[in-house]
Amino acid sequence: MYVASSEEHPSVALRVIKASHSANPAFRTALGYRVENARHALSPYVAGLLDFDLERTTPWIATEYHEGIPLRSLVETHGPLPAEALRPLALALAQGLADLHAGHRTHAALSPDTILITRRGALLSDIGFEWAAAEIGPLSNQGFAAPEGRAAPAVDVYAWAAVLVWAVGGKSVAEEIDRLPLQLRGLAEACLREDPALRPTSDDLVRLLGGPASPAPWPSDLVGLLNRQAEQATRALAAASPRRKRGKGVLLASGSAALALILVAAGVLLWPFSEEEPVSSEEDTTPALITDAGCLDDPGFPPPEGPIDEFDATYLAFSPDGDLLAVNSYNHGLTLWDWRAGEEIARPLAEIDQGVFTFAPVGCQLEVTTYDQFPQSDLRHTVATTVDIPSGEIRDYLGPQSERVLTGLTEPRSVYSFAYSPSGERAIINLRRDLNMEGRHPSTGIIDLDTGEVVETWDQEETDAFLYARYLDEERLIAISGRTLEVRQASTGRREQTIRNSTSPRIDLLEGEEIVYAAQDRILRWDLEAGTEVDSFPVPDYADMEEHTDHSVSNLRVDTELGLLHFSYVVVPNPSGGGEAPPPGSDRRFPNHGYLWDLETGEEVGDEDIASRPMDFHPDGEAIASIGPEGDVRILDPETFEVIDTLS
């Protein structure tokens, strides 16, 4: 869905019809008839039609804009609706259908996708398109359509019951109807009768639910979630309206006024986009939640207070533009550096996890893992946090779990991994499995970085608690789970390829279909397409750890321009093996080991002093950043590996 504005309407919901539909004369005829009738469909429970133009090559329809969340997104992201929300939902939908049926209209495609949950209540947010589609082909609400498969009031009543059942469990009617409260179950069973003549009418539903009347308010935790979503949408609209980014706006002429199109975080997707989207030729593909600016243009964070007294760095990475070096300091948290000037410019977060963090491929944003003490939880759980450096905005992502964790009503789950897609338009986030609900709730979700919403989740049978993931391209990623590497489809999680014998939750990508990963006593360079080993680099001591020690990989990086491969790991005493408990502090207190190889010859280069702890390669080959044995950060010459500067 687009959000658009005109002189007459500050905000409207704009649906642009897909070319494959609009090219069908039968569809255009049906759409024109349905939309004309919809102009007079007045109901507080149905989004009103405001304007349309069906004569254009790309037809569009403008309806009232309501801040809210589609029912499907709400349930799939935050879990089944609480029992207190079902009756208000049932009454609002019944009254919306009754208003339509009173005007001799039908919805014909009622489903969780066409229901909007707003702060004021539930709303039928679809008008016109689905009705027209039902005239020329199969109904699009599979799983909610009545057996007779026609556009009729009795079909809407059947779908009303199917939607309620789905809302309490996210599954089919046959699997979930017993989860409905008793006062609604009998009514739903009557609506689901095979013979449409035996089903109650929508007027019967309203009467049996105590209406006509205003539905009761939503429960407090749902109100809180909707308030937060509305605030985000309001900020997005405010940010987009006064200064639209190039390529994000276009004028669509209509009969009464021009609609200025604004692509913002609307949180709703009800109609298919045109395959020829109406955007200007100056295309800006930077997602809305990533600022389109360089890292040193105008940082949104204040300068640091005081100098670095003792760095004790644990991880580092260059920004995509190469101008900034981000360093995690055990003593000072996330620090940002103009590395050429040797100047620290900001400290956005005082504490982050000491593991890997990742820059987005566009703009200047990075994702780190932070800790959060959720209500009624004795443990500190990890959260995915993005730090947008030009804007100074910090956002936490819960992934595919309910926001009820923020109020203590649901047990939180820690984040295991977060990865940006190559375009930066999406990210995948993986959580600890939902053990309390026997894995019913998804652990893996895809985030749209234009909206911040989870737009896709993986089915449970496809979801393993992998520890690390990287996108191979926009459609595929590679995930590490246990001792296997798995190439999966990003949208569904379906496995396409499995590679066994992985011994580290780290991986890096080369050009084409090649990867590098740890496999016992070697680092393997592997061709995914051919399914064969290209090269290997021995690490005998990594696999030959003593039983009383534990070890974890601190870095695995490859740079084909410089022709270098780096691998490092840290050895931590394991009390269960007879050693003493490790003291608090960073990993510089423990033995660190590393290797730096020439990719072409396989020979080791540099020395243990520069390779034992994490390093990163400048994207243009200008320098190498390396953490020294004592936690100092060094800038190295990429050819001689001599120290040319030290950050402090």
Side-chain angles (χ1 to χ4, degrees):
M1 184 189 78
Y2 296 114
V3 176
S5 66
S6 71
E7 294 181 0
E8 296 180 8
H9 304 289
S11 297
V12 302
L14 187 71
R15 278 82 170 176
V16 181
I17 310 303
K18 186 186 291 186
S20 59
H21 283 92
S22 59
N24 186 326
F27 171 81
R28 280 188 177 263
T29 300
L31 181 64
Y33 173 76
R34 293 296 184 175
V35 169
E36 184 62 31
N37 280 345
R39 297 177 68 181
H40 308 291
L42 302 178
S43 172
Y45 306 101
V46 179
L49 178 66
L50 299 175
D51 207 345
F52 58 91
D53 187 344
L54 306 183
E55 301 303 320
R56 293 173 59 91
T57 303
T58 304
W60 57 265
I61 301 170
T63 60
E64 295 172 337
Y65 171 67
H66 296 268
E67 293 173 345
I69 307 174
L71 179 59
R72 182 178 295 280
S73 297
L74 181 66
V75 172
E76 290 184 346
T77 303
H78 304 290
L81 291 186
E84 316 90 88
L86 292 176
R87 195 172 185 88
L89 173 67
L91 181 56
L93 298 183
Q95 292 184 135
L97 291 177
D99 290 338
L100 291 177
H101 297 169
H104 305 288
R105 300 172 179 87
T106 56
H107 191 287
L110 185 63
S111 75
D113 299 291
T114 61
I115 296 167
L116 190 65
I117 305 300
T118 75
R119 288 181 288 181
R120 295 182 179 180
L123 194 73
L124 299 177
S125 57
D126 174 77
I127 288 184
F129 170 74
E130 295 289 358
W131 293 346
E135 295 286 341
I136 63 170
L139 296 175
S140 63
N141 61 337
Q142 294 181 2
F144 304 91
E148 62 269 26
R150 296 182 293 105
V155 172
D156 288 344
V157 168
Y158 183 99
W160 173 89
V163 164
L164 286 184
V165 174
W166 181 88
V168 298
K171 295 185 179 180
S172 68
V173 169
E175 295 176 284
E176 299 288 353
I177 193 165
D178 289 342
R179 293 172 61 88
L180 274 178
L182 288 174
Q183 61 269 35
L184 288 175
R185 191 183 309 165
L187 190 55
E189 289 173 341
C191 295
L192 294 170
R193 289 170 178 157
E194 185 172 351
D195 187 348
L198 298 179
R199 298 171 198 156
T201 67
S202 54
D203 283 334
D204 293 333
L205 296 180
V206 173
R207 177 176 51 81
L208 292 169
L209 291 168
S214 297
W218 298 123
S220 58
D221 57 332
L222 181 53
V223 171
L225 188 155
L226 293 168
N227 284 338
R228 288 190 290 273
Q229 190 276 342
E231 290 170 2
Q232 293 173 2
T234 299
R235 287 196 299 268
L237 284 171
S241 297
R243 52 180 184 86
R244 296 172 195 151
K245 293 181 180 179
R246 292 186 302 169
K248 292 288 186 180
V250 67
L251 294 179
L252 297 180
S254 76
S256 59
L259 288 170
L261 184 64
I262 310 169
L263 306 186
V264 300
V268 184
L269 177 59
L270 299 180
W271 289 40
F273 288 159
S274 165
E275 291 164 0
E276 300 174 356
E277 294 187 7
V279 297
S280 72
S281 58
E282 298 183 55
E283 185 176 2
D284 179 4
T285 58
T286 304
L289 298 184
I290 300 178
T291 302
D292 186 13
C295 289
L296 299 181
D297 288 351
D298 187 16
F301 294 100
E305 296 181 4
I308 294 286
D309 50 5
E310 185 180 11
F311 216 143
D312 203 354
T314 60
Y315 193 76
L316 44 65
F318 283 107
S319 61
D321 61 11
D323 291 339
L324 182 137
L325 182 68
V327 182
N328 186 9
S329 164
Y330 180 78
N331 296 313
H332 302 281
L334 179 63
T335 67
L336 307 177
W337 294 77
D338 179 347
W339 64 273
R340 294 187 184 94
E343 178 183 353
E344 185 189 10
I345 63 173
R347 295 179 200 168
L349 294 169
E351 181 187 22
I352 65 175
D353 181 74
Q354 295 180 47
V356 172
F357 54 77
T358 308
F359 272 96
V362 294
C364 190
Q365 180 181 107
L366 70 160
E367 181 274 334
V368 300
T369 302
T370 59
Y371 299 97
D372 199 332
Q373 185 69 55
F374 290 92
Q376 300 181 19
S377 177
D378 296 331
L379 303 175
R380 288 206 309 169
H381 294 270
T382 51
V383 175
T385 300
T386 57
V387 180
D388 193 77
I389 296 167
S391 68
E393 293 185 356
I394 298 176
R395 290 184 174 87
D396 290 339
Y397 290 89
L398 298 174
Q401 61 182 322
S402 171
E403 287 196 11
R404 295 172 194 164
V405 299
L406 301 175
T407 60
L409 297 176
T410 301
E411 180 69 21
R413 291 180 283 155
S414 289
V415 169
Y416 278 171
S417 67
F418 180 106
Y420 292 98
S421 70
S423 67
E425 296 177 356
R426 292 193 166 192
I428 185 168
I429 188 168
N430 190 63
L431 310 173
R432 176 178 59 83
R433 285 182 65 85
D434 181 12
L435 301 177
N436 292 336
M437 293 294 289
E438 297 179 350
R440 290 189 59 195
H441 293 163
S443 296
T444 304
I446 308 296
I447 299 170
D448 184 333
L449 290 177
D450 268 321
T451 67
E453 296 292 326
V454 175
V455 294
E456 293 170 349
T457 58
W458 290 3
D459 292 336
Q460 282 301 296
E461 58 266 26
E462 297 291 355
T463 303
D464 294 324
F466 57 77
L467 300 176
Y468 185 66
R470 289 284 299 271
Y471 273 88
L472 294 170
D473 50 45
E474 292 296 322
E475 305 299 328
R476 300 175 303 151
L477 56 83
I478 186 163
I480 299 178
S481 176
R483 286 184 167 270
T484 62
L485 295 170
E486 298 170 340
V487 178
R488 295 172 176 249
Q489 288 186 355
S491 59
T492 65
R494 186 175 67 84
R495 293 179 182 85
E496 293 186 347
Q497 186 178 353
T498 298
I499 306 167
R500 305 194 182 279
N501 202 29
S502 169
T503 54
S504 161
R506 295 287 183 271
I507 190 172
D508 206 4
L509 312 179
L510 291 83
E511 296 176 355
E513 292 282 305
E514 291 188 9
I515 63 172
V516 291
Y517 69 97
Q520 295 183 335
D521 61 348
R522 298 180 297 163
I523 304 299
L524 288 184
R525 181 174 178 178
W526 187 268
D527 188 316
L528 292 172
E529 185 174 9
T532 57
E533 176 184 321
V534 177
D535 204 349
S536 67
F537 305 84
V539 286
D541 50 345
Y542 168 69
D544 191 26
M545 293 291 101
E546 298 292 337
E547 292 184 0
H548 65 277
T549 64
D550 192 7
H551 56 285
S552 62
V553 173
S554 55
N555 198 54
L556 178 58
R557 294 280 180 89
V558 64
D559 187 294
T560 54
E561 293 296 324
L562 294 175
L564 296 173
L565 170 63
H566 178 250
F567 173 72
S568 62
Y569 64 96
V570 58
V571 180
V572 182
N574 184 353
S576 64
E580 296 182 358
S586 73
D587 59 13
R588 76 183 173 109
R589 299 168 184 258
F590 313 126
N592 285 264
H593 305 278
Y595 302 84
L596 184 63
W597 293 282
D598 183 304
L599 270 178
E600 184 176 350
T601 66
E603 296 179 355
E604 287 189 52
V605 295
D607 56 40
E608 178 78 6
D609 185 55
I610 66 169
S612 63
R613 301 198 62 200
M615 64 168 50
D616 192 26
F617 307 110
H618 188 275
D620 296 325
E622 187 176 341
I624 298 173
S626 171
I627 298 177
E630 297 304 314
D632 54 322
V633 175
R634 306 167 177 182
I635 306 300
L636 309 179
D637 183 289
E639 294 183 0
T640 66
F641 310 116
E642 294 180 355
V643 178
I644 57 179
D645 197 4
T646 300
L647 303 184
S648 62

